[in-house]
Amino acid sequence: MNRLAFYALCAAATLLVPSARAFNIVANGRAQAAVLVDPQATESAAKAADELIVYVEKMTGQKLRRIDRPNTAWKTIRIGAPAKFSKSDEIAVFVNRRGELEITGEGTRGPVYAVFKFLETFGVRYWSPWRETVPEVKSLSVGNNFKLNHKPAFESRSGWGVSHSGHEPRFASWRMKMGANASVPKGFGTPHVVNISETMTRKYLKAEKYFAEHPEWYALVDGERKRTQICQSNQEAVDALIAEVRAELAANTNCTSISLGSDDNDKFCRCDGCRKILAQDDCGDTALEIHVANQVARAISKDYPRAKVSILAYWTKERPPRKMKLEPNVVVGMALGRNYAYPVTQSQAWMEKADGWARAADSRIYIWDYYANFRNFQEPRPDAINIVPNVRHYHSRGFLGASAQLSIGTFSTFGEMKAYLWSQAIWNAEVDADKIIAEFIAANYGKGAGQVRQYWDLMVNALKKAEAPSMGNYGSNYEQWFTPEMMFTSWRLINEALKLTEDDPLANRQCEYLLVAVINDFVLRWEKAEIEKRLETARLTVPIVSRPALVRQLDEICRKYRYPSYWSEQIGWDKRMDDWREKYKEAER
Ligand SMILES: [Zn+2]
């Protein structure tokens, strides 16, 4: 980021020049403050102090000292002092009455979030596990009336995207910097665990364990007992489930979240008993899941008052109950399908179901959202524009948690930007999406940012102008609104961006990722979009020779990055290239 943009970014929040009326951390290249971990702080405050020292050194070249008690040689930065907070993970940074800079936060993780968010006010940005912006400055200070107070929009925050989901420490570290809390690296506090998954017949009442002896515990489907689901009206099965859950809670006193989601299929029981339960309400298989969850919830509420039981509003269980009541210790994971081309507020069906669930569960809702086509992570799909409007809606309804499945492929179109925007929004629903997107593109695509921005706008405008855009989790009609002309424009823009970033390896790599998405589309739509015919009149600076030539180019890029991760949910890039090398070999001219 250039210096001018950086100053503009920070001017509102902080002072960058030393001043008598300011708390100086570093002034004119000399450290003025030292870091004190409050004696009453939670364990993670020590990690928070380490992170602050590391980043201040990166920014100023000055390594702040750690001190055990305030002294006259240094101003004190006090980390992790207990304070009153109203929200889980809330953070506060301010100059206290003793003239110390206090950086603190709620609970076991709060001080760490406080440091990372404080650093953001100086222009530090954690774009992805691979790239950060850390401004270099001579002085670092805040005004004496400086105040940073964030109350995270949701108590449970997570995501599954290209930047979230890796086992290397850099992923865990990035999630922490972004304020996520579902999994937390050692020493950074305890994770906020909310189990929302499909556990029935897999974790609880395992079919492999019980089906042979008790087929009647399992679903009657087309007149036959099947392992697909349990028989929710079978009291013996429910009692066995309660025993399993109680045993788990007894063995693990820290466990506060029991997921009772049905398995991922629509083959539910239709025995006489289950039909009676279904008839109690007008909400489909939802009734069966609630019938079981309520019994488990009642059975554990007294002995395990902190534990919650979760159900899953998904697929054949999307409809909320009208008559059945949820026990107060039942929470709902809500993964309602919709047309992802639009914000949720524009889907009447989604809104009706979601509002019904919010009423039934008194807003004890954990959103499970989607921003990807799992059949092709590279397709033109600017669904990120809906993230902030959606998150604001979830926040306005008082939902407790927000998680989303995002594009996970390394080459997924703007996958890292999506992961970044989602993470920022679920921490603070009031973020300015346009500003974040502008910043992200400027910082990540270097001298190619102008072209990349045009490519992004091309997709966004095409989507906005589309007459009836349709986006599902497993497909979309983007070919109807992202025209062949737009494909050629994308080709030109991204090739220009590549040329412009030749001397900037990081930005060049980001542009090359986008080129993969562009080529991918040409390969897929070669016939339908009549590319060969169009090439006769197209004037291209960088020529397109043939589909086999494009496949060869893709293969070269893939080899360079060692065939990274996923083309789709089911297919890796290695497999994709094996198929395409074979398929387009014959056709070569
Ligand atoms: Zn049944």
Side-chain angles (χ1 to χ4, degrees):
M1 188 179 299
N2 69 46
R3 192 52 63 99
L4 204 70
F6 165 63
Y7 276 114
L9 192 71
C10 309
T14 53
L15 299 169
L16 287 162
V17 285
S19 150
R21 288 186 297 132
F23 184 100
N24 294 326
I25 300 168
V26 175
N28 298 319
R30 301 285 295 271
Q32 306 291 311
V35 179
L36 172 83
V37 172
D38 189 272
Q40 293 190 58
T42 175
E43 185 198 358
S44 73
K47 294 281 188 192
D50 292 344
E51 294 287 349
L52 180 70
I53 290 167
V54 165
Y55 276 91
V56 169
E57 188 176 9
K58 280 188 198 172
M59 292 171 82
T60 66
Q62 289 287 293
K63 186 169 183 179
L64 304 183
R65 284 163 199 245
R66 284 276 292 268
I67 51 174
D68 294 329
R69 60 179 66 87
N71 66 47
T72 50
W74 308 101
K75 288 195 152 214
T76 303
I77 301 175
R78 184 180 291 268
I79 300 200
K84 271 191 182 162
F85 294 106
S86 61
K87 281 277 205 176
S88 168
D89 292 332
E90 181 177 342
I91 61 163
V93 184
F94 57 96
V95 179
N96 68 19
R97 284 181 195 167
R98 293 188 297 262
E100 301 169 338
L101 178 63
E102 269 204 38
I103 304 179
T104 189
E106 191 277 338
T108 64
R109 303 170 295 266
V112 179
Y113 296 135
V115 161
F116 288 134
K117 297 296 171 186
F118 176 56
L119 289 165
E120 282 187 343
T121 67
F122 296 104
V124 174
R125 294 289 181 271
Y126 323 103
W127 305 118
S128 71
W130 306 275
R131 261 184 339 284
E132 298 184 343
T133 293
V134 182
E136 286 177 24
V137 292
K138 284 236 159 17
S139 299
L140 209 55
S141 63
V142 296
N144 275 331
N145 55 359
F146 177 83
K147 259 195 180 62
L148 182 72
N149 177 215
H150 290 181
K151 299 176 198 291
F154 303 93
E155 66 164 50
S156 166
R157 303 173 300 277
S158 62
W160 303 91
V162 62
S163 302
H164 294 89
S165 314
H167 296 299
E168 292 167 51
R170 62 169 67 175
F171 290 91
S173 169
W174 181 79
R175 292 193 298 261
M176 206 66 207
K177 288 167 184 167
M178 298 309 292
N181 64 5
S183 67
V184 171
K186 203 171 180 319
F188 285 79
T190 50
H192 182 84
V193 178
V194 181
N195 289 319
I196 292 170
S197 55
E198 291 143 338
T199 56
M200 298 310 299
T201 76
R202 292 176 183 270
K203 180 181 177 186
Y204 302 118
L205 298 185
K206 276 186 188 170
E208 58 189 57
K209 189 171 168 189
Y210 297 114
F211 185 82
E213 207 178 324
H214 294 291
E216 75 282 6
W217 288 8
Y218 294 86
L220 186 71
V221 181
D222 301 329
E224 222 181 298
R225 292 287 169 180
K226 298 249 170 79
R227 296 159 182 253
T228 51
Q229 302 288 353
I230 63 163
C231 170
Q232 283 85 354
S233 64
N234 186 300
Q235 197 55 46
E236 219 178 75
V238 175
D239 290 343
L241 169 65
I242 289 171
E244 285 185 341
V245 169
R246 287 189 63 95
E248 183 181 352
L249 289 167
N252 179 3
T253 47
N254 290 325
C255 177
T256 55
S257 179
I258 297 288
S259 169
L260 297 182
S262 305
D263 198 24
D264 196 359
N265 64 66
D266 59 351
K267 303 283 181 280
F268 280 79
C269 189
R270 292 294 183 261
C271 75
D272 290 344
C274 287
R275 281 176 193 277
K276 271 188 199 145
I277 296 168
L278 289 165
Q280 284 174 25
D281 208 319
D282 178 27
C283 57
D285 294 324
T286 299
L288 298 174
E289 200 160 296
I290 290 178
H291 177 78
V292 170
N294 274 344
Q295 292 181 71
V296 176
R298 282 194 292 270
I300 63 168
S301 65
K302 213 170 154 205
D303 295 337
Y304 305 97
R306 286 166 60 230
K308 304 270 188 287
V309 166
S310 75
I311 58 173
L312 191 53
Y314 167 69
W315 200 351
T316 62
K317 302 168 293 161
E318 283 202 349
R319 273 149 65 200
R322 288 157 173 270
K323 297 171 196 154
M324 293 175 91
K325 298 274 177 266
L326 298 181
E327 289 293 320
N329 53 341
V330 172
V331 302
V332 179
M334 197 167 80
L336 307 178
R338 63 175 190 271
N339 181 353
Y340 300 92
Y342 300 99
V344 289
T345 47
Q346 289 185 37
S347 165
Q348 201 190 335
W350 190 96
M351 290 289 282
E352 280 172 15
K353 286 179 203 163
D355 285 348
W357 275 112
R359 273 195 301 276
D362 197 15
S363 290
R364 297 188 305 277
I365 303 280
Y366 294 81
I367 275 284
W368 188 272
D369 211 347
Y370 299 93
Y371 298 93
N373 173 5
F374 298 114
R375 288 221 173 93
N376 175 6
F377 290 128
Q378 291 70 221
E379 79 169 19
R381 188 183 175 102
D383 49 0
I385 60 169
N386 296 326
I387 286 178
V388 168
N390 289 346
V391 168
R392 281 185 189 166
H393 178 73
Y394 307 150
H395 182 54
S396 76
R397 289 293 198 264
F399 295 168
L400 298 180
S403 187
Q405 279 178 264
L406 310 148
S407 317
I408 55 170
T410 301
F411 299 142
S412 64
T413 320
F414 290 104
E416 289 176 16
M417 188 167 85
K418 225 187 288 202
Y420 181 77
L421 182 58
W422 170 258
S423 305
Q424 289 282 1
I426 60 173
W427 175 268
N428 172 12
E430 295 311 312
V431 289
D432 181 341
D434 291 339
K435 190 167 160 248
I436 288 179
I437 288 169
E439 268 189 33
F440 189 96
I441 291 177
N444 284 269
Y445 296 94
K447 288 179 189 156
Q451 275 70 9
V452 170
R453 178 72 209 207
Q454 286 181 57
Y455 173 50
W456 171 253
D457 289 342
L458 184 72
M459 279 193 282
V460 171
N461 292 332
L463 174 63
K464 284 183 174 169
K465 282 182 194 153
E467 269 180 30
S470 163
M471 286 183 190
N473 294 336
Y474 289 95
S476 84
N477 68 353
Y478 83 94
E479 292 180 34
Q480 288 176 23
W481 47 267
F482 197 75
T483 63
E485 289 75 19
M486 292 172 187
M487 294 168 69
F488 280 102
T489 306
S490 310
W491 171 262
R492 173 179 63 77
L493 288 169
I494 300 306
N495 275 297
E496 282 173 16
L498 272 166
K499 187 101 184 97
L500 288 165
T501 53
E502 270 172 349
D503 59 350
D504 180 350
L506 282 178
N508 195 252
R509 186 183 69 186
Q510 294 303 110
C511 294
E512 198 156 36
Y513 287 179
L514 290 177
L515 183 69
V516 169
V518 172
I519 296 178
N520 184 70
D521 208 26
F522 271 100
V523 173
L524 288 174
R525 295 169 69 186
W526 189 267
E527 277 109 11
K528 266 199 210 165
E530 299 181 306
I531 300 301
E532 208 143 297
K533 200 175 125 200
R534 289 171 197 277
L535 281 175
E536 287 166 16
T537 51
R539 287 190 197 160
L540 302 176
T541 318
V542 179
I544 294 174
V545 178
S546 66
R547 177 150 61 176
L550 287 178
V551 170
R552 268 202 305 278
Q553 191 180 356
L554 262 188
D555 204 19
E556 274 164 31
I557 300 171
C558 283
R559 200 177 312 133
K560 186 167 153 190
Y561 299 110
R562 298 180 193 165
Y563 299 91
S565 66
Y566 303 95
W567 185 84
S568 70
E569 188 181 48
Q570 305 289 342
I571 305 172
W573 267 99
D574 48 352
K575 172 85 172 61
R576 171 86 297 167
M577 289 317 306
D578 283 349
D579 293 348
W580 281 0
R581 267 194 305 265
E582 188 57 32
K583 190 170 175 186
Y584 299 118
K585 194 173 56 182
E586 301 277 314
E588 188 146 19
R589 288 181 281 196

